[in-house]
Amino acid sequence: MRPAQLETFLQMRGEARAPGGDDVRLVALPQAVLRVRMAGDGGATVVIVPDPPNVIEHYDGLIALLAPHLRVVCCEAPGFGFSRPTRDFDFGLASQTATLAALLSRLALGPCVLAFPCFAGLIAVRLATDHPELVSGLVLVQTAAWAEELGWVRRVDARGLLQTRWLGQLVMSLGKRRVARGWYRAALPRGADPAPFLTPALAAFARGGAYCLASAFQAACRMAGG
């Protein structure tokens, strides 16, 4: 068992009880089973990947605003929320890109606008480069240059716990709720109430949702040769 397999196993043991709905489904792909919400039926197609620990439910308000005008696809990345990666998924940029390209090909909704936040924005750029036929535009939300993204990983994990193989996976599996609380405290303005953001994340964890941040951080470090 590889570290990424351990993290997925520990966080997604048993049957996850993902929130459902008429517009939410699971899509089986070669490297993952992705949880996807689709809403709206007109205009361009916009694809959103939640920035973990956010899940699809964090985007309900935005989807409600966009759906009357656009077709909206919201998909949790493999190893986050209720999207389950396969045993050979390594969380690297190539695997993430291939999986989301497979999803867009399966849905066959025409060239899409990708609105991927933070690290996922780098996946969007790679996807547009490798599969231009699937992408009509990019909305890069809070996505920095690669060197800055890697520097951010090392700042938020200054002690290197999550970047350490095996140890990081155990830390996240035991402490994902604590990490999520700290995440929202750091991301929100000082004095802001984290409850509207934290509550959906904790509800997802209670139902078996995943937050495989250690495997994602370690994949980023591998890409950097660290």
Side-chain angles (χ1 to χ4, degrees):
M1 180 180 287
R2 294 181 300 179
Q5 293 173 322
L6 174 66
E7 188 167 28
T8 303
F9 171 75
L10 291 176
Q11 293 201 34
M12 306 188 80
R13 284 179 291 181
E15 279 301 315
R17 305 181 308 282
D22 293 339
D23 56 358
V24 178
R25 57 175 163 151
L26 297 176
V27 180
L29 301 167
Q31 292 193 74
V33 177
L34 300 184
R35 180 175 177 242
V36 181
R37 180 180 176 189
M38 298 177 60
D41 58 6
T45 298
V46 176
V47 184
I48 301 169
V49 174
D51 186 15
N54 293 333
V55 292
I56 286 174
E57 285 68 31
H58 283 89
Y59 288 78
D60 285 348
L62 178 60
I63 292 172
L65 291 172
L66 295 178
H69 312 286
L70 304 166
R71 181 183 289 110
V72 183
V73 177
C74 189
C75 168
E76 291 163 351
F80 298 96
F82 298 92
S83 288
R84 182 185 292 270
T86 59
R87 291 175 59 86
D88 61 346
F89 190 81
D90 66 2
F91 287 82
L93 182 60
S95 294
Q96 298 276 7
T97 301
T99 298
L100 289 167
L103 174 67
L104 298 185
S105 296
R106 174 74 61 82
L107 296 179
L109 297 176
C112 304
V113 176
L114 308 183
F116 293 8
C118 198
F119 254 108
L122 301 176
I123 298 171
V125 172
R126 174 74 176 268
L127 203 162
T129 301
D130 292 353
H131 302 279
E133 74 283 0
L134 297 175
V135 181
S136 62
L138 301 176
V139 179
L140 299 180
V141 184
Q142 198 184 347
T143 298
W146 167 245
E148 294 299 323
E149 293 279 12
L150 189 63
W152 169 82
V153 167
R154 291 170 174 161
R155 286 195 302 275
V156 300
D157 183 32
R159 297 170 63 189
L161 296 179
L162 301 188
Q163 298 166 67
T164 302
R165 285 165 54 89
W166 303 108
L167 175 61
Q169 279 76 16
L170 290 172
V171 168
M172 279 305 303
S173 298
L174 294 172
K176 61 184 178 182
R177 291 167 179 81
R178 180 178 179 180
V179 172
R181 289 187 178 93
W183 198 274
Y184 289 120
R185 283 198 303 269
L188 293 171
R190 182 174 298 179
D193 180 10
F197 299 92
L198 182 59
T199 299
L202 296 182
F205 296 160
R207 297 175 69 97
Y211 188 19
C212 294
L213 190 63
S215 295
F217 275 12
Q218 290 169 27
C221 292
R222 287 196 304 272
M223 289 174 56

